[in-house]
Amino acid sequence: MIVTDGTYTLAFAQIGKHDLARVGGKCSSLGEMTQAGVAVPPGFAVTTDGYLAMLEESGLRAEIERHLARVDPDDIDSIDRAAQAIRIRIRGHRMPEAVEAAIRAAYASMGADTPVAVRSSATAEDLPDASFAGQQDTYLWVRGADAVVEKVRDCWASLFATRAVAYREKNKIPHVDVNMSVGVQKMVNARAAGVAMTLDPGTGDRTRIVIDASWGLGEMVVSGVVTPDNFSVEKVLMEIIDRKISDKHVELVGDAERGETVEREVDETRRKHPSLTDAQVIAVAQLAKRLERQNGCPQDVEWAIDADLPEGENLLALQSRPETIWSQKKKAASASAYAVGMMGIVNTLTNPLAARKKT
């Protein structure tokens, strides 16, 4: 059982959608899945209360606002200079004692030197009307309380990555409205991993579930380092209707002796061999379909097959967020149709004779 203080740390089992403002999109999703009985690696969230305490106790809030007030949103060099200065200042401050103590206690309750992933969870990410994916930092195979504390602070700093600041400037998202939570989650010893979309990302077809998979941790798939295996599954019948097996030349795996993740070449026997069995493909599709039903909209799901768990119990959900590409296109189409309709009404009201002639 993970011990948390309820203020600066919350176990995933304690988290629901109502905690979004305190734990961000990623940790809120992990909490919802945990409470729904989905197999999720255990962990806890460092809440936004910890991040806000850091800003207030150190005087960083006013300093951040000064840097951002001087930013020219059309000048990427201006944004980069301000963002870099803010990150340096956040990393240079020690976090408040109460926040650090809560993190250390929660991590200790997971077991001595347990390898964990430390993941940013901003309060505006993973939402249907925004696309923040990949803007903040994730650290894998972190071991030891000192390292966890350091990486939490690094995740806070990544809220001001140049790309993230530029995105908020471009989309007129107030910087003060976005806070940072951090998820600390037991590392998965991934035999294979990847992503599953509950629609076809190429066509928007919601009758399909499309799965990308490769050997090792899923970061190789997400970052595009490898060309993954690709499977299409018919959503109702749960049948594989298409597959493309790729040459997966490299994988990212945990190295227990070095205490970190390492890239290694995939041996010849596995490079062109499917990274998932047919049964595993269907299991991933069923998981994605369950999460779509649970969340009420198409999902982008990260998953892994844990090599340390028995078959049938080894599929783990790492993240589930609303799909953004086709949902945004749908909104844009609806807005365009609304605008055309309103224009027709205006024309009718302002020139009824012309409208009558058209009919």
Side-chain angles (χ1 to χ4, degrees):
M1 179 179 175
I2 297 176
V3 177
T4 58
D5 74 335
T7 300
Y8 298 125
T9 55
L10 287 171
F12 293 154
Q14 299 173 287
I15 294 171
K17 286 181 179 178
H18 59 281
D19 294 305
L20 179 64
R22 294 187 66 205
V23 301
K26 189 178 282 92
C27 289
S28 175
S29 171
L30 289 167
E32 283 290 308
M33 289 191 291
T34 300
Q35 291 201 24
V38 176
V40 173
F44 64 93
V46 181
T47 68
T48 56
D49 298 275
Y51 169 73
L52 294 171
M54 172 80 162
L55 296 189
E56 297 304 330
E57 291 191 20
S58 63
L60 276 171
R61 181 183 293 281
E63 191 173 339
I64 289 170
E65 289 173 349
R66 280 198 306 274
H67 279 293
L68 295 175
R70 296 194 292 264
V71 163
D72 178 353
D74 298 318
D75 181 357
I76 191 63
D77 289 334
S78 169
I79 293 173
D80 184 53
R81 285 192 298 272
Q84 191 173 98
I86 292 169
R87 293 197 303 273
I88 289 171
R89 295 296 291 146
I90 291 175
R91 288 190 173 110
H93 277 278
R94 182 168 182 172
M95 67 175 61
E97 287 186 15
V99 180
E100 182 173 335
I103 294 171
R104 288 179 178 275
Y107 175 70
S109 68
M110 295 179 70
D113 287 340
T114 298
V116 294
V118 181
R119 300 179 182 272
S120 302
S121 181
T123 55
E125 71 178 3
D126 294 350
L127 302 179
D129 55 350
S131 183
F132 288 79
Q135 290 185 8
Q136 281 88 46
D137 287 348
T138 287
Y139 300 94
L140 303 177
W141 208 270
V142 180
R143 297 182 72 169
D146 291 346
V148 171
V149 168
E150 177 188 341
K151 296 309 181 187
V152 168
R153 189 170 54 235
D154 287 345
C155 285
W156 290 345
S158 74
L159 188 59
F160 296 95
T162 301
R163 180 185 171 199
V165 173
Y167 182 90
R168 295 195 294 268
E169 288 285 335
K170 178 183 176 182
N171 291 278
K172 295 180 171 55
I173 299 170
H175 298 283
V176 295
D177 288 353
V178 184
N179 295 319
M180 179 66 82
S181 169
V182 180
V184 179
Q185 186 175 30
K186 186 178 184 298
M187 272 300 302
V188 175
N189 182 19
R191 173 189 171 277
V195 296
M197 305 281 287
T198 61
L199 50 68
D200 188 321
T203 65
D205 183 356
R206 291 190 61 176
T207 68
R208 290 189 174 201
I209 295 171
V210 177
I211 299 166
D212 285 337
S214 191
W215 301 115
L217 293 163
E219 274 68 18
M220 289 298 179
V221 175
V222 174
S223 64
V225 173
V226 299
T227 301
D229 295 336
N230 179 266
F231 305 89
S232 290
V233 178
E234 206 286 326
K235 193 181 288 184
V236 175
L237 298 178
M238 279 290 143
E239 293 180 350
I240 301 172
I241 53 180
D242 193 22
R243 74 181 75 217
K244 298 182 182 69
I245 307 304
S246 300
D247 183 346
K248 303 166 289 296
H249 66 290
V250 67
E251 62 184 340
L252 187 69
V253 295
D255 187 317
E257 289 186 6
R258 294 170 58 174
E260 60 184 6
T261 54
V262 295
E263 286 188 27
R264 71 181 182 193
E265 291 290 320
V266 175
D267 57 86
E268 287 294 330
T269 58
R270 288 189 300 140
R271 285 180 62 153
K272 297 181 182 180
H273 190 77
S275 52
L276 296 178
T277 66
D278 284 3
Q280 289 170 338
V281 170
I282 297 304
V284 171
Q286 289 171 333
L287 170 66
K289 182 177 179 179
R290 174 183 177 180
L291 290 169
E292 179 183 62
R293 189 182 304 117
Q294 177 181 314
N295 291 288
C297 65
Q299 295 291 295
D300 175 355
V301 180
E302 293 183 24
W303 54 269
I305 304 289
D306 193 318
D308 296 334
L309 297 175
E311 192 67 34
E313 301 175 20
N314 56 355
L315 174 59
L316 302 175
L318 306 180
Q319 186 175 340
S320 185
R321 56 178 170 246
E323 181 278 335
T324 55
I325 296 174
W326 285 95
S327 61
Q328 293 288 7
K329 287 183 179 181
K330 187 175 180 180
K331 286 184 180 180
S334 298
S336 177
Y338 176 78
V340 170
M342 289 301 294
M343 185 63 72
I345 293 171
V346 170
N347 287 339
T348 301
L349 292 174
T350 57
N351 192 355
L353 182 59
R356 193 176 298 118
K357 286 179 180 177
K358 288 181 181 178
T359 57

